[in-house]
Amino acid sequence: MKKVLGIVGAGKLGEQIAHYALTDNHYSKVVFIDDFSSEKEINGIKIIGKTNQIDYLFDKKLFDELIIGIGYNYLNKRKEIYSQLKDKIPFGKIIHSTSWADGTAIIRKGCVIYPNCSIDINSIVEENTIINNSCSIAHDSIIGKHSFLSPSVSIAGFVKIEECCNIGINTTIIDNINIVSNTQTGGGTVVVKNIVESGLYVGNPARFIR
C-alpha cells in the first residue's frame, strides 16, 4: 500500500509536486502543510495545518513522508525547515518515471526529479534538491543540498555545485567546474570557470552581476 505524502507549501511548486506524486503513482494521497493559504484545500488536496504543527501532524499519522515544496526564492527557508525536521520526520523522494538515473547515481532523501531528466554514472543529488524538467547531469557531478535546477540545465562531468544554489533555465556548466554555495545563474548562462564568490551570474561566459 502506497504512503501519504505531506508537502510543505501549497503554492505552484507544491501543486506540481503533488501532481507528479499522484499521477506518476509515487503516493496514494497527498496533503499540504502551508502557513499562508486561507483555503482549506487546493485542487482537492487538503491543507491540514501549518509548519509549526508538522511534528503533531506526523504523530497523528496524517502523513507518512515529507517533501518541501518551497521554491527557488526561498532556498534558505528550505534548508531551515529540512534541517529542523530531518532527524524527526521521514523525508520522501520522487523520481519521475520518464527520467533516467544510472544505477550508480545517488539521489538522496527529500529530492524531486521532474520529467525527462538524465542523471549519469556516479553523480550525486544531495538532500532536499529540486531538479526541474529536462535537466542533464553528466558523470561524477554533485548537486549540493537545498538547491534548485530550473528546466533544461546542462551540467558536464566532474562538476560540483555547493548548497543552496539556484541554477537558471538553460544554464550550461562545462566540465570540472566548482560553484560556491548561494550562487544564482540567470537564464542561458554559460559557466566556463569556477565560481568562488556567491552572487548572481549571467551571460556567456558567466559574469558577476551582484
Side-chain angles (χ1 to χ4, degrees):
M1 183 175 179
K2 286 196 169 72
K3 298 176 180 180
V4 178
L5 175 66
I7 298 177
V8 180
K12 285 301 177 183
L13 183 68
E15 290 179 46
Q16 284 183 323
I17 294 170
H19 174 77
Y20 294 135
L22 294 171
T23 62
D24 206 41
N25 298 313
H26 295 272
Y27 292 89
S28 60
K29 181 180 176 181
V30 172
V31 294
F32 286 128
I33 300 157
D34 190 275
D35 289 342
F36 302 104
S37 178
S38 59
E39 305 295 326
K40 293 185 177 179
E41 62 178 50
I42 295 176
N43 296 332
I45 298 173
K46 290 182 179 179
I47 299 175
I48 61 170
K50 298 184 180 298
T51 55
N52 62 4
Q53 301 174 300
I54 288 175
D55 288 349
Y56 169 80
L57 298 169
F58 179 69
D59 288 343
K60 285 290 188 180
K61 302 187 184 303
L62 295 181
F63 67 90
D64 299 298
E65 295 179 342
L66 198 65
I67 285 176
I68 299 175
I70 298 172
Y72 55 81
N73 287 323
Y74 304 98
L75 295 183
N76 286 322
K77 187 64 176 179
R78 288 180 61 84
K79 177 181 177 179
E80 176 187 334
I81 294 171
Y82 183 84
S83 298
Q84 289 173 349
L85 297 173
K86 65 182 178 69
D87 296 324
K88 299 187 288 184
I89 307 290
F91 275 80
K93 176 169 57 179
I94 294 174
I95 304 172
H96 196 273
S97 60
T98 61
S99 287
W100 170 78
D102 186 79
T104 62
I106 298 171
I107 299 170
R108 301 201 191 277
K109 61 184 180 179
C111 292
V112 180
I113 311 299
Y114 275 51
N116 301 314
C117 294
S118 174
I119 302 173
D120 205 353
I121 61 171
N122 299 323
S123 288
I124 300 173
V125 181
E126 296 285 10
E127 291 91 341
N128 192 33
T129 287
I130 304 288
I131 308 293
N132 217 301
N133 295 300
S134 302
C135 289
S136 176
I137 301 170
H139 63 92
D140 299 283
S141 289
I142 300 172
I143 313 301
K145 299 176 184 178
H146 325 298
S147 291
F148 189 102
L149 270 58
S150 297
S152 300
V153 168
S154 295
I155 297 173
F158 297 107
V159 168
K160 182 178 181 181
I161 297 173
E162 296 183 5
E163 68 175 42
C164 293
C165 288
N166 173 18
I167 307 301
I169 188 168
N170 282 321
T171 292
T172 298
I173 304 172
I174 70 163
D175 56 302
N176 293 289
I177 292 291
N178 292 333
I179 296 179
V180 72
S181 298
N182 300 299
T183 293
Q184 179 181 357
T185 66
T189 300
V190 180
V191 183
V192 298
K193 61 181 181 179
N194 293 339
I195 292 178
V196 297
E197 179 182 0
S198 299
L200 171 62
Y201 292 78
V202 301
N204 178 9
R207 65 186 187 278
F208 178 79
I209 297 297
R210 64 176 183 272

